[in-house]
Amino acid sequence: MESSAKPRRAAAVAVLTASSLLLAGCASGSGGKKAAEAANGISAGHADTPRMKVAMITHQAPGDTFWDLVRKGAQAAAAKDNVQLVYSADPSAANQANLVQNAIDQKVDGIAVTLAKPDALKNVVAKAEQSGIPVVGLNAGIDVWKQQGLLEYFGQDETIAGQAVGDKLNQLGAHHVVCVVHEQGNVSLEDRCAGVKKDFKGTTDLLYVNGQDMPSVKATITAKLQQDHSIDEVVTLGAPFALTATQSVSDAGSKAKVATFDLNKDLVGAVQDGKVQFAVDQQPYLQGYLAVDGLWLYKNNGNFSGGGASPVLTGPAFVDKGNVAAIAKFAQNGTR
Protein backbone atom coordinates (compact mmCIF):
# COMPACT_ATOMS: atom_id res chain seq x y z
CA MET A 1 0.00 0.00 0.00
CA GLU A 2 2.70 2.41 0.95
CA SER A 3 4.52 2.00 -2.34
CA SER A 4 1.37 2.85 -4.33
CA ALA A 5 0.67 5.94 -2.27
CA LYS A 6 4.18 7.43 -2.43
CA PRO A 7 4.26 8.17 -6.18
CA ARG A 8 0.93 9.97 -5.94
CA ARG A 9 2.10 12.03 -2.99
CA ALA A 10 5.34 12.81 -4.79
CA ALA A 11 3.41 13.91 -7.87
CA ALA A 12 1.26 16.21 -5.78
CA VAL A 13 4.27 17.78 -4.11
CA ALA A 14 5.99 18.19 -7.46
CA VAL A 15 2.97 19.96 -8.92
CA LEU A 16 2.67 22.38 -6.02
CA THR A 17 6.41 23.02 -6.06
CA ALA A 18 6.39 23.63 -9.79
CA SER A 19 3.51 26.09 -9.45
CA SER A 20 5.39 27.96 -6.73
CA LEU A 21 8.53 28.11 -8.86
CA LEU A 22 6.54 29.35 -11.82
CA LEU A 23 5.03 32.18 -9.83
CA ALA A 24 8.30 33.08 -8.14
CA GLY A 25 10.23 32.98 -11.43
CA CYS A 26 7.90 35.19 -13.48
CA ALA A 27 9.82 38.38 -12.65
CA SER A 28 13.35 37.10 -13.10
CA GLY A 29 15.77 36.13 -15.82
CA SER A 30 13.95 37.29 -18.94
CA GLY A 31 12.68 40.82 -18.81
CA GLY A 32 13.44 42.46 -15.48
CA LYS A 33 11.02 45.22 -14.48
CA LYS A 34 8.84 44.90 -17.60
CA ALA A 35 8.40 41.16 -17.06
CA ALA A 36 7.64 41.73 -13.39
CA GLU A 37 4.95 44.25 -14.26
CA ALA A 38 3.43 41.95 -16.87
CA ALA A 39 3.30 39.08 -14.39
CA ASN A 40 1.96 41.19 -11.55
CA GLY A 41 -1.56 39.80 -11.89
CA ILE A 42 -0.47 36.21 -11.25
CA SER A 43 2.04 36.74 -8.46
CA ALA A 44 1.61 36.12 -4.74
CA GLY A 45 -0.48 38.55 -2.74
CA HIS A 46 -3.76 40.05 -3.93
CA ALA A 47 -4.45 39.51 -7.62
CA ASP A 48 -5.41 42.37 -9.89
CA THR A 49 -6.72 40.00 -12.54
CA PRO A 50 -10.30 40.54 -13.77
CA ARG A 51 -12.98 39.62 -11.25
CA MET A 52 -14.21 36.06 -11.72
CA LYS A 53 -17.12 34.18 -10.18
CA VAL A 54 -16.64 30.66 -8.84
CA ALA A 55 -19.36 28.38 -7.50
CA MET A 56 -18.40 25.74 -4.95
CA ILE A 57 -21.09 23.09 -4.51
CA THR A 58 -20.65 20.36 -1.89
CA HIS A 59 -22.65 17.58 -0.28
CA GLN A 60 -22.34 19.16 3.17
CA ALA A 61 -25.01 18.11 5.66
CA PRO A 62 -26.34 20.74 8.08
CA GLY A 63 -24.10 21.08 11.12
CA ASP A 64 -21.14 19.15 9.69
CA THR A 65 -18.20 21.27 10.85
CA PHE A 66 -15.79 19.57 8.44
CA TRP A 67 -17.12 21.77 5.67
CA ASP A 68 -16.49 24.94 7.63
CA LEU A 69 -12.79 24.23 7.05
CA VAL A 70 -13.25 23.59 3.34
CA ARG A 71 -15.18 26.82 3.01
CA LYS A 72 -12.60 28.85 4.94
CA GLY A 73 -9.87 27.63 2.61
CA ALA A 74 -11.97 28.51 -0.42
CA GLN A 75 -12.68 31.97 1.00
CA ALA A 76 -8.98 32.59 1.64
CA ALA A 77 -8.10 31.74 -1.97
CA ALA A 78 -11.02 33.82 -3.25
CA ALA A 79 -9.83 36.86 -1.27
CA LYS A 80 -6.34 36.49 -2.69
CA ASP A 81 -7.44 35.86 -6.27
CA ASN A 82 -10.11 38.54 -6.70
CA VAL A 83 -12.78 35.84 -6.93
CA GLN A 84 -16.44 36.13 -5.99
CA LEU A 85 -17.12 32.82 -4.25
CA VAL A 86 -20.65 31.44 -4.22
CA TYR A 87 -20.85 28.51 -1.80
CA SER A 88 -23.86 26.19 -1.63
CA ALA A 89 -24.43 22.68 -0.35
CA ASP A 90 -27.00 19.92 -0.01
CA PRO A 91 -26.56 16.29 1.15
CA SER A 92 -29.21 15.19 -1.35
CA ALA A 93 -27.51 14.26 -4.62
CA ALA A 94 -30.52 15.43 -6.65
CA ASN A 95 -30.53 18.79 -4.88
CA GLN A 96 -26.77 19.12 -5.30
CA ALA A 97 -27.23 18.54 -9.04
CA ASN A 98 -29.82 21.33 -9.07
CA LEU A 99 -27.31 23.63 -7.40
CA VAL A 100 -24.80 22.88 -10.15
CA GLN A 101 -27.46 23.69 -12.73
CA ASN A 102 -28.11 27.00 -10.93
CA ALA A 103 -24.41 27.81 -11.23
CA ILE A 104 -24.54 27.06 -14.96
CA ASP A 105 -27.57 29.34 -15.33
CA GLN A 106 -25.67 32.11 -13.54
CA LYS A 107 -22.85 31.69 -16.10
CA VAL A 108 -20.13 31.42 -13.47
CA ASP A 109 -16.50 31.36 -14.53
CA GLY A 110 -15.73 28.08 -12.78
CA ILE A 111 -17.28 25.34 -10.67
CA ALA A 112 -15.75 23.31 -7.84
CA VAL A 113 -17.85 20.29 -6.93
CA THR A 114 -17.77 17.20 -4.72
CA LEU A 115 -18.78 13.90 -6.30
CA ALA A 116 -19.93 11.90 -3.30
CA LYS A 117 -22.66 10.33 -5.47
CA PRO A 118 -21.13 10.75 -8.91
CA ASP A 119 -23.83 9.09 -11.01
CA ALA A 120 -26.36 11.69 -9.89
CA LEU A 121 -24.08 14.55 -10.97
CA LYS A 122 -22.69 13.10 -14.20
CA ASN A 123 -25.15 14.74 -16.57
CA VAL A 124 -25.14 18.18 -15.02
CA VAL A 125 -21.34 18.24 -14.82
CA ALA A 126 -21.29 17.43 -18.54
CA LYS A 127 -23.68 20.34 -19.14
CA ALA A 128 -21.30 22.70 -17.35
CA GLU A 129 -18.39 21.53 -19.45
CA GLN A 130 -20.45 21.83 -22.66
CA SER A 131 -21.24 25.40 -21.63
CA GLY A 132 -17.53 26.16 -21.49
CA ILE A 133 -17.37 26.33 -17.69
CA PRO A 134 -14.24 24.68 -16.24
CA VAL A 135 -15.05 22.21 -13.45
CA VAL A 136 -12.70 20.88 -10.77
CA GLY A 137 -13.37 18.26 -8.13
CA LEU A 138 -12.54 18.17 -4.47
CA ASN A 139 -12.95 15.87 -1.48
CA ALA A 140 -15.08 13.16 -3.12
CA GLY A 141 -14.85 11.51 -6.51
CA ILE A 142 -11.19 10.59 -6.91
CA ASP A 143 -12.10 7.45 -8.87
CA VAL A 144 -14.35 9.21 -11.39
CA TRP A 145 -13.15 12.80 -11.85
CA LYS A 146 -11.23 12.06 -15.04
CA GLN A 147 -14.08 9.99 -16.48
CA GLN A 148 -16.42 12.93 -15.95
CA GLY A 149 -14.03 15.32 -17.66
CA LEU A 150 -13.01 17.46 -14.68
CA LEU A 151 -9.88 19.55 -15.06
CA GLU A 152 -8.34 18.77 -11.67
CA TYR A 153 -9.00 16.99 -8.41
CA PHE A 154 -7.95 17.90 -4.87
CA GLY A 155 -8.34 15.42 -2.01
CA GLN A 156 -7.16 12.11 -0.65
CA ASP A 157 -7.45 8.59 -1.98
CA GLU A 158 -10.02 7.24 0.47
CA THR A 159 -9.21 3.58 -0.14
CA ILE A 160 -5.53 4.19 0.57
CA ALA A 161 -6.47 6.22 3.66
CA GLY A 162 -8.64 3.34 4.88
CA GLN A 163 -5.86 0.84 4.30
CA ALA A 164 -3.49 3.05 6.29
CA VAL A 165 -5.97 2.98 9.19
CA GLY A 166 -6.23 -0.79 8.93
CA ASP A 167 -2.46 -1.11 9.11
CA LYS A 168 -2.26 1.23 12.08
CA LEU A 169 -4.92 -0.75 13.94
CA ASN A 170 -2.92 -3.92 13.33
CA GLN A 171 0.10 -2.22 14.91
CA LEU A 172 -2.03 -1.13 17.87
CA GLY A 173 -3.17 -4.70 18.45
CA ALA A 174 -6.89 -4.27 17.70
CA HIS A 175 -8.93 -7.39 16.95
CA HIS A 176 -12.53 -6.35 16.23
CA VAL A 177 -13.42 -3.06 14.55
CA VAL A 178 -16.77 -1.47 13.86
CA CYS A 179 -16.62 1.13 11.07
CA VAL A 180 -19.43 3.65 11.40
CA VAL A 181 -20.83 4.98 8.09
CA HIS A 182 -22.90 8.12 8.62
CA GLU A 183 -24.18 8.52 5.05
CA GLN A 184 -25.13 5.41 3.12
CA GLY A 185 -24.22 5.53 -0.58
CA ASN A 186 -21.47 8.14 -0.17
CA VAL A 187 -18.65 6.57 -2.18
CA SER A 188 -15.90 8.27 -0.16
CA LEU A 189 -17.21 6.91 3.13
CA GLU A 190 -17.78 3.43 1.72
CA ASP A 191 -14.23 3.43 0.31
CA ARG A 192 -12.78 4.33 3.70
CA CYS A 193 -14.37 1.37 5.43
CA ALA A 194 -13.52 -0.91 2.49
CA GLY A 195 -9.88 0.14 2.84
CA VAL A 196 -9.92 -0.55 6.58
CA LYS A 197 -11.41 -4.00 5.98
CA LYS A 198 -8.88 -4.78 3.24
CA ASP A 199 -5.77 -4.31 5.39
CA PHE A 200 -7.06 -4.94 8.91
CA LYS A 201 -6.26 -8.50 9.98
CA GLY A 202 -9.07 -8.80 12.49
CA THR A 203 -12.86 -8.61 12.12
CA THR A 204 -14.43 -5.52 10.55
CA ASP A 205 -18.14 -4.77 10.92
CA LEU A 206 -19.98 -1.97 9.13
CA LEU A 207 -22.51 0.04 11.09
CA TYR A 208 -24.80 2.43 9.22
CA VAL A 209 -26.20 5.41 11.12
CA ASN A 210 -28.20 8.50 10.27
CA GLY A 211 -25.56 11.20 10.36
CA GLN A 212 -28.14 13.97 10.47
CA ASP A 213 -29.57 12.69 13.77
CA MET A 214 -26.78 12.66 16.35
CA PRO A 215 -28.86 11.27 19.25
CA SER A 216 -29.71 8.35 16.96
CA VAL A 217 -26.03 7.93 16.09
CA LYS A 218 -25.16 7.75 19.77
CA ALA A 219 -27.93 5.24 20.53
CA THR A 220 -27.02 3.00 17.57
CA ILE A 221 -23.32 2.84 18.46
CA THR A 222 -24.16 2.25 22.12
CA ALA A 223 -26.48 -0.61 21.24
CA LYS A 224 -23.85 -2.21 19.00
CA LEU A 225 -21.24 -2.08 21.75
CA GLN A 226 -23.67 -3.52 24.31
CA GLN A 227 -24.54 -6.38 21.98
CA ASP A 228 -20.95 -7.33 21.17
CA HIS A 229 -18.33 -6.92 23.89
CA SER A 230 -15.58 -8.24 21.60
CA ILE A 231 -15.47 -4.91 19.74
CA ASP A 232 -12.28 -3.18 20.81
CA GLU A 233 -12.16 -0.36 18.25
CA VAL A 234 -14.74 2.08 16.89
CA VAL A 235 -13.69 3.86 13.69
CA THR A 236 -15.79 6.84 12.68
CA LEU A 237 -15.60 8.78 9.42
CA GLY A 238 -15.93 12.33 10.77
CA ALA A 239 -14.88 14.28 13.84
CA PRO A 240 -18.36 14.94 15.30
CA PHE A 241 -19.15 11.23 15.12
CA ALA A 242 -15.92 10.34 16.92
CA LEU A 243 -16.83 12.65 19.78
CA THR A 244 -20.27 11.06 19.96
CA ALA A 245 -18.72 7.58 19.83
CA THR A 246 -16.67 8.35 22.95
CA GLN A 247 -19.95 8.97 24.76
CA SER A 248 -21.35 5.70 23.41
CA VAL A 249 -18.32 3.80 24.67
CA SER A 250 -18.86 5.26 28.13
CA ASP A 251 -22.62 4.60 28.11
CA ALA A 252 -22.12 1.01 26.99
CA GLY A 253 -19.46 0.31 29.63
CA SER A 254 -17.21 -0.77 26.76
CA LYS A 255 -13.43 -0.88 26.73
CA ALA A 256 -13.30 -0.05 23.01
CA LYS A 257 -11.01 2.67 21.72
CA VAL A 258 -12.10 5.33 19.25
CA ALA A 259 -10.27 6.46 16.12
CA THR A 260 -11.54 8.61 13.29
CA PHE A 261 -11.10 10.17 9.91
CA ASP A 262 -10.98 13.98 9.84
CA LEU A 263 -10.56 16.42 12.69
CA ASN A 264 -11.70 19.76 14.03
CA LYS A 265 -10.84 21.90 17.04
CA ASP A 266 -12.80 19.74 19.50
CA LEU A 267 -11.39 16.53 18.06
CA VAL A 268 -7.84 17.85 18.46
CA GLY A 269 -8.62 18.37 22.14
CA ALA A 270 -9.95 14.80 22.39
CA VAL A 271 -6.71 13.45 20.93
CA GLN A 272 -4.73 15.53 23.40
CA ASP A 273 -6.85 14.17 26.26
CA GLY A 274 -6.52 10.57 25.06
CA LYS A 275 -10.26 10.15 24.43
CA VAL A 276 -9.57 9.53 20.74
CA GLN A 277 -6.54 7.49 19.69
CA PHE A 278 -5.84 9.20 16.39
CA ALA A 279 -7.39 11.03 13.46
CA VAL A 280 -6.68 10.87 9.74
CA ASP A 281 -6.22 14.39 8.41
CA GLN A 282 -7.06 15.07 4.76
CA GLN A 283 -6.57 18.84 5.18
CA PRO A 284 -10.00 20.16 4.16
CA TYR A 285 -8.87 23.79 4.33
CA LEU A 286 -6.25 22.97 1.70
CA GLN A 287 -8.83 21.23 -0.49
CA GLY A 288 -11.04 24.31 -0.55
CA TYR A 289 -8.11 26.63 -1.12
CA LEU A 290 -6.59 24.65 -3.96
CA ALA A 291 -9.92 24.15 -5.74
CA VAL A 292 -10.53 27.91 -6.03
CA ASP A 293 -6.89 28.74 -6.68
CA GLY A 294 -6.71 26.01 -9.31
CA LEU A 295 -9.60 27.52 -11.25
CA TRP A 296 -8.00 30.98 -11.03
CA LEU A 297 -4.65 29.66 -12.26
CA TYR A 298 -6.35 27.84 -15.13
CA LYS A 299 -8.24 30.95 -16.25
CA ASN A 300 -5.33 33.37 -15.88
CA ASN A 301 -2.32 31.25 -16.75
CA GLY A 302 -3.58 28.02 -18.33
CA ASN A 303 -2.22 25.89 -15.48
CA PHE A 304 -3.39 22.34 -14.75
CA SER A 305 -2.63 21.13 -11.22
CA GLY A 306 -1.63 17.48 -11.46
CA GLY A 307 -1.03 18.00 -15.16
CA GLY A 308 -4.71 17.31 -15.72
CA ALA A 309 -3.98 13.60 -15.30
CA SER A 310 -3.20 13.00 -11.62
CA PRO A 311 -5.04 14.05 -8.47
CA VAL A 312 -3.39 16.49 -6.09
CA LEU A 313 -3.36 14.57 -2.82
CA THR A 314 -3.97 16.45 0.42
CA GLY A 315 -3.80 13.38 2.68
CA PRO A 316 -3.82 11.07 4.47
CA ALA A 317 -1.73 12.02 7.49
CA PHE A 318 -2.14 10.75 11.05
CA VAL A 319 -2.66 13.06 14.00
CA ASP A 320 -2.05 11.43 17.38
CA LYS A 321 -0.61 12.31 20.76
CA GLY A 322 2.87 12.40 19.29
CA ASN A 323 2.23 15.29 16.91
CA VAL A 324 -1.09 16.83 17.91
CA ALA A 325 0.56 19.77 19.68
CA ALA A 326 1.90 21.03 16.35
CA ILE A 327 -1.62 20.96 14.88
CA ALA A 328 -3.46 22.39 17.90
CA LYS A 329 -2.55 26.05 17.33
CA PHE A 330 -3.92 25.91 13.79
CA ALA A 331 -7.04 24.09 14.97
CA GLN A 332 -7.66 26.93 17.43
CA ASN A 333 -7.66 29.28 14.46
CA GLY A 334 -10.33 27.15 12.83
CA THR A 335 -8.22 26.15 9.85
CA ARG A 336 -7.31 22.52 10.74
Side-chain angles (χ1 to χ4, degrees):
M1 181 217 74
E2 187 173 323
S3 61
S4 65
K6 282 184 178 178
R8 289 187 179 182
R9 295 192 185 104
V13 171
V15 169
L16 294 175
T17 302
S19 298
S20 299
L21 290 173
L22 171 65
L23 295 177
C26 281
S28 64
S30 59
K33 182 178 180 181
K34 184 177 289 187
E37 290 172 349
N40 201 33
I42 56 170
S43 61
H46 292 284
D48 60 3
T49 48
R51 184 79 161 166
M52 61 183 290
K53 187 175 184 178
V54 169
M56 177 171 284
I57 301 142
T58 77
H59 60 280
Q60 175 182 3
D64 189 342
T65 56
F66 173 89
W67 296 99
D68 295 341
L69 302 177
V70 173
R71 190 171 183 176
K72 283 184 178 181
Q75 289 170 334
K80 178 182 73 71
D81 294 339
N82 193 26
V83 166
Q84 178 188 353
L85 177 68
V86 181
Y87 181 92
S88 58
D90 201 295
S92 162
N95 290 343
Q96 190 186 7
N98 289 335
L99 292 172
V100 176
Q101 182 61 57
N102 290 342
I104 297 171
D105 295 340
Q106 292 175 36
K107 298 181 180 179
V108 299
D109 299 300
I111 294 174
V113 66
T114 61
L115 300 176
K117 297 176 181 176
D119 289 343
L121 294 170
K122 183 177 180 180
N123 291 337
V124 75
V125 166
K127 283 183 182 180
E129 293 160 351
Q130 290 163 8
S131 300
I133 300 173
V135 183
V136 302
L138 71 152
N139 180 263
I142 195 169
D143 294 327
V144 299
W145 70 276
K146 283 194 290 185
Q147 299 169 23
Q148 296 200 11
L150 274 61
L151 288 174
E152 305 158 333
Y153 181 85
F154 306 96
Q156 74 178 0
D157 187 314
E158 303 293 3
T159 300
I160 288 177
Q163 289 178 267
V165 170
D167 289 338
K168 190 169 185 68
L169 294 177
N170 290 333
Q171 296 168 16
L172 293 171
H175 299 286
H176 188 173
V177 170
V178 58
C179 193
V180 182
V181 183
H182 59 266
E183 183 184 342
Q184 191 165 2
N186 182 322
V187 293
S188 296
L189 303 184
E190 301 282 358
D191 285 349
R192 288 178 177 183
C193 287
V196 172
K197 186 172 183 178
K198 183 175 182 180
D199 275 29
F200 181 56
K201 294 179 180 178
T203 301
T204 302
D205 295 338
L206 296 184
L207 181 65
Y208 290 93
V209 299
N210 180 3
Q212 297 186 54
D213 183 352
M214 202 60 81
S216 173
V217 172
K218 180 181 176 183
T220 303
I221 298 174
T222 301
K224 178 70 173 177
L225 294 173
Q226 289 173 334
Q227 292 166 7
D228 192 340
H229 296 287
S230 70
I231 296 171
D232 55 5
E233 194 79 39
V234 178
V235 174
T236 63
L237 307 181
F241 307 100
L243 297 170
T244 296
T246 62
Q247 298 172 21
S248 295
V249 168
S250 177
D251 290 351
S254 171
K255 295 182 180 180
K257 305 292 185 182
V258 176
T260 191
F261 289 77
D262 301 335
L263 68 157
N264 59 21
K265 179 171 66 175
D266 294 333
L267 196 283
V268 165
V271 172
Q272 290 176 309
D273 295 341
K275 294 178 180 178
V276 174
Q277 278 184 306
F278 63 84
V280 180
D281 183 17
Q282 63 173 308
Q283 301 187 96
Y285 180 95
L286 186 61
Q287 292 175 7
Y289 186 97
L290 292 177
V292 172
D293 204 44
L295 285 165
W296 176 76
L297 282 167
Y298 173 74
K299 181 176 178 64
N300 289 286
N301 205 45
N303 294 122
F304 289 87
S305 296
S310 300
V312 177
L313 298 182
T314 61
F318 287 106
V319 176
D320 56 25
K321 266 201 167 183
N323 64 359
V324 69
I327 304 296
K329 62 180 180 180
F330 302 113
Q332 287 297 322
N333 294 333
T335 57
R336 289 297 293 271

